[in-house]
Amino acid sequence: MSRALRRYPVLAALCVAALFMIVPFLIVTLNAFKSPAEYSQNGPLSLPDGLYLDGLKDFWERVDYAQKLFNSVLISGAVAVLAVVLSILNAYAIGIGRIKGRPWVLAFFVLANMLPQEALVYPIYYLSKEAGLYDTRLSVIIVFTVIQAAFGTYLLSSVLGQFPREIIEAAKIDGASKWQVLWRIVVPVSRPTLGVLMVFFFIWTWNEFLLPLVMLISNDNQTVSVALGVLQGQRLMDATMTNAAALLGVLPAIVFFLLFQRTLTRGIAVGAVK
Amino acid sequence: MTVTVEKRGVTGKAAQAGHPRRPRDSYALFLLPGVLAFLAVIIVPFLMNTYVGFTDWQGVGSPDWTGLANYRELMDDSEFWASFRHSLFMVVAMAAVPTAVGLVLAAALFDYVGKHFGSRVTAVLRACFYLPQVLPIAVAGIVWSWILAPDNGSLNALLKAVGLSSWQQDWLGDPDIALYSVMGVMVWVQLGFPLVVFMAGLQRVDPQLYEAAELDGAGWWRRFWHITLPQIRPEIYVVLTWCTIAALKVFGAVYVLTKGGPGGATDVPSYFSFTTFFEKTQVGYGAAISTVLTVIILALSLIGLRLQTREEDRS
């Protein structure tokens, strides 16, 4: 009996804690729909009088948010696809091909994944200027494809290391080349893992800040994260515009979250403990 | 051509027909694009950065070799030491606290809520805790810098509303408080990650262990301490390593929340190297800072991997 009674306080405490986690989202939504006058009069905690949409509209136009969204989708999407392709090529050689010196090759990729971007940022900035790639979306796509593929190689190599070998042997005996085995057997069978990786690469790239901040200086090339971060860093916005910015920045994340909740929570566990 | 698994029956015959096995290493060709891309984007820039750390390069002209001069200067640079001290605070906020709190929350969600209120309630609560993790850090920074704003910020408005006006602060602008405010934000950002990993880990713990302990009269804390903790030790190592590294690299939050201020009170090594590179254009010095950071991160990663593999060997 006493045990049954004890459950509810635990649940209540957890609900309060969970509420604390999402209060910032709620309060931002609340204030994104207030006019500046209303905000200065009633403060941040009052309910909005009506739906004031001009703040969102002004912010959208001021930063050309459609362009920023397009840039983010383009960069993150390209990185997600290219990094998965690069990861699977690497992992095919390491996990299935079991090439010579395999542990060293794997260590090479793991180390590359662990290097902080701070130790790469200036040379990348400098080299991309030399190569004429500075301030292009392509430069960011190339860099993040490689950085994400480091993690992908590490994860996929151990997954492919356990790939049922009979299937591969059988295909080879049927005369399939390595290239055909890769695309017609290994890739289709590993599709669930590849899907998880693609979702992660997309979201990680979307959220990146340091390198895009350095590499994408012109307005037309900036991602959502960089555009919002730079505006905020310069403290050019009033309170309602800040909230409009925050809400428009939060929305894509919420959409990803709702779309990929299961993938994310499952994938993070797989990724962490592999 | 189509390759089907059913054709496995012909194995012996085909092998006899003589398909000489090519040497294994022809798989190395598949590695070629990856290795070349890694050389260009990671290895070469990394070596350049290390080299530049031994020069007084300003980003233009040719660098002059100055040996260990930058590192000697770092030893006496109080800004540098302060930034690393702040890093330790970030490790507390992003690794220690989220791991400890995440463990208790994960166990409570798994044990109490999961068992007595169903998986749906658990999933919703877990989602609430995980939500900040999918947010770009720049956006999290915008949200919090407004909540923590001195006048008209939500936190101060809330304190006023509940009659605690004297608790109002300039949360990000007061040098004595700013670092703790940033730490609070980072706990909020980071908490979901350990929680989700630990909840996944708890699923592989044999429920009979708990039942047996419960029959023996062990209370919740004893079960937590003697079953949950030891059982998910591998996850704890992974999370601690991962989060500590993230804490050492923290950049976006500092850039958006405080820009290292006020008066350097929240400066961290990655932000310090960033300003040294791009604002002061002391590229050689910035490279030395990021090299020190890299050495620390690689050392920690190796220790983390070591603990993890030792744990795997044991189990």
Side-chain angles (χ1 to χ4, degrees):
Chain A
M1 187 59 213
S2 72
R3 185 161 295 166
L5 279 178
R6 260 190 6 227
R7 280 171 212 153
Y8 283 93
V10 171
L11 182 69
L14 284 168
C15 286
V16 170
L19 191 67
F20 176 74
M21 296 299 284
I22 57 169
V23 154
F25 295 100
L26 301 178
I27 204 167
V28 158
T29 314
L30 207 64
N31 285 283
F33 297 107
K34 286 181 189 168
S35 71
E38 194 187 338
Y39 182 88
S40 57
Q41 203 169 17
N42 300 335
L45 299 177
S46 67
L47 286 172
D49 291 337
L51 276 188
Y52 175 85
L53 295 173
D54 285 2
L56 286 167
K57 215 181 93 202
D58 288 349
F59 177 77
W60 185 289
E61 282 162 5
R62 178 170 157 190
V63 303
D64 196 359
Y65 199 73
Q67 178 71 34
K68 307 294 188 270
L69 276 176
F70 173 77
N71 292 337
S72 275
V73 171
L74 178 75
I75 292 173
S76 309
V79 168
V81 173
L82 294 174
V84 165
V85 171
L86 197 58
S87 306
I88 191 122
L89 288 175
N90 290 338
Y92 187 53
I94 299 171
I96 289 183
R98 302 192 168 260
I99 49 157
K100 254 189 231 151
R102 178 162 39 100
W104 292 105
V105 178
L106 200 56
F108 170 75
F109 284 108
V110 173
L111 277 180
N113 185 237
M114 284 172 179
L115 287 180
Q117 288 175 16
E118 288 79 3
L120 309 173
V121 64
Y122 201 91
I124 286 178
Y125 164 81
Y126 181 81
L127 290 172
S128 69
K129 273 192 162 171
E130 296 284 294
L133 285 170
Y134 179 61
D135 197 20
T136 61
R137 288 166 294 201
L138 180 62
S139 64
V140 179
I141 292 174
I142 293 173
V143 170
F144 282 118
T145 294
V146 176
I147 290 178
Q148 311 291 27
F151 177 81
T153 302
Y154 165 61
L155 183 77
L156 274 180
S157 296
S158 63
V159 172
L160 292 190
Q162 288 154 19
F163 198 90
R165 302 206 72 84
E166 316 85 71
I167 304 182
I168 294 166
E169 293 302 327
K172 272 191 199 153
I173 283 147
D174 285 345
S177 67
K178 292 195 181 73
W179 187 248
Q180 286 166 325
V181 169
L182 173 61
W183 292 108
R184 301 200 184 192
I185 297 172
V186 176
V187 169
V189 171
S190 325
R191 203 183 293 144
T193 317
L194 301 183
V196 172
L197 273 183
M198 217 176 269
V199 170
F200 266 83
F201 292 166
F202 185 89
I203 293 177
W204 287 345
T205 309
W206 188 284
N207 291 353
E208 278 292 344
F209 192 67
L210 172 64
L211 274 168
L213 175 74
V214 170
M215 301 295 289
L216 303 173
I217 45 157
S218 72
N219 252 318
D220 289 346
N221 293 330
Q222 277 174 355
T223 60
V224 172
S225 278
V226 173
L228 295 180
V230 169
L231 271 180
Q232 178 64 22
Q234 292 166 343
R235 309 246 182 268
L236 289 175
M237 295 188 290
D238 58 41
T240 38
M241 194 161 294
T242 302
N243 279 285
L247 184 64
L248 287 175
V250 168
L251 279 180
I254 306 254
V255 171
F256 301 147
F257 187 66
L258 294 176
L259 283 176
F260 301 122
Q261 223 229 99
R262 300 183 122 219
T263 323
L264 282 170
T265 44
R266 198 183 316 137
I268 206 165
V270 173
V273 190
K274 259 294 159 198
Chain B
M1 59 154 256
T2 37
V3 178
T4 48
V5 186
E6 288 88 279
K7 287 197 184 166
R8 213 183 303 170
V10 292
T11 305
K13 224 184 279 172
Q16 278 162 13
H19 282 279
R21 269 191 80 141
R22 264 169 280 166
R24 281 177 158 191
D25 276 20
S26 61
Y27 276 98
L29 268 183
F30 288 91
L31 213 51
L32 199 61
V35 169
L36 288 179
F38 270 79
L39 281 174
V41 174
I42 294 181
I43 304 304
V44 168
F46 174 66
L47 294 176
M48 268 177 80
N49 189 72
T50 312
Y51 165 74
V52 169
F54 294 109
T55 70
D56 63 356
W57 200 39
Q58 311 252 307
V60 284
S62 51
D64 289 325
W65 182 266
T66 54
L68 290 171
N70 285 330
Y71 292 92
R72 250 179 251 125
E73 203 180 326
L74 277 178
M75 298 297 281
D76 295 327
D77 187 342
S78 60
E79 247 184 291
F80 170 77
W81 289 106
S83 76
F84 267 100
R85 214 165 37 242
H86 301 152
S87 261
L88 295 180
F89 283 84
M90 289 301 154
V91 170
V92 172
M94 290 178 70
V97 173
T99 303
V101 177
L103 265 171
V104 175
L105 284 175
L109 273 174
F110 189 80
D111 236 26
Y112 272 107
V113 182
K115 271 181 204 147
H116 304 297
F117 300 95
S119 60
R120 183 149 289 228
V121 182
T122 316
V124 169
L125 286 172
R126 186 183 59 186
C128 290
F129 287 105
Y130 190 66
L131 199 54
Q133 275 277 302
V134 286
L135 211 58
I137 191 71
V139 176
I142 291 181
V143 171
W144 278 99
S145 65
W146 165 72
I147 291 177
L148 298 173
D151 17 73
N152 249 336
S154 311
L155 182 57
N156 280 347
L158 183 73
L159 288 171
K160 197 174 168 190
V162 296
L164 291 170
S165 296
S166 60
W167 289 21
Q168 293 181 345
Q169 302 286 351
D170 184 357
W171 298 101
L172 295 169
D174 182 337
D176 294 331
I177 302 176
L179 186 59
Y180 299 104
S181 303
V182 175
M183 286 172 72
V185 174
M186 296 324 291
V187 171
W188 179 81
V189 167
Q190 199 73 0
L191 187 58
F193 174 70
L195 178 80
V196 169
V197 175
F198 293 149
M199 285 190 72
L202 282 171
Q203 280 170 2
R204 57 175 179 76
V205 179
D206 186 354
Q208 287 183 341
L209 281 175
Y210 286 102
E211 283 159 25
E214 216 164 339
L215 283 179
D216 290 343
W220 193 82
W221 277 108
R222 285 185 67 107
R223 275 178 282 147
F224 176 74
W225 202 252
H226 293 290
I227 300 174
T228 308
L229 277 189
Q231 288 290 322
I232 61 170
R233 204 155 43 192
E235 277 86 357
I236 297 176
Y237 286 136
V238 173
V239 164
L240 275 177
T241 311
W242 200 290
C243 291
T244 304
I245 293 171
L248 291 171
K249 293 200 277 197
V250 69
F251 171 81
V254 168
Y255 181 91
V256 178
L257 283 172
T258 61
K259 292 216 144 192
T266 57
D267 205 3
V268 289
S270 71
Y271 189 76
F272 186 38
S273 72
F274 172 83
T275 50
T276 310
F277 280 136
F278 296 103
E279 281 165 26
K280 300 179 199 152
T281 59
Q282 297 176 352
V283 181
Y285 199 55
I289 300 167
S290 58
T291 304
V292 173
L293 186 63
T294 306
V295 170
I296 294 175
I297 286 175
L298 286 183
L300 276 174
S301 310
L302 290 178
I303 294 171
L305 275 177
R306 208 44 197 281
L307 285 172
Q308 199 184 325
T309 42
R310 203 198 293 165
E311 198 59 35
E312 273 161 17
D313 292 344
R314 199 185 294 171
S315 57

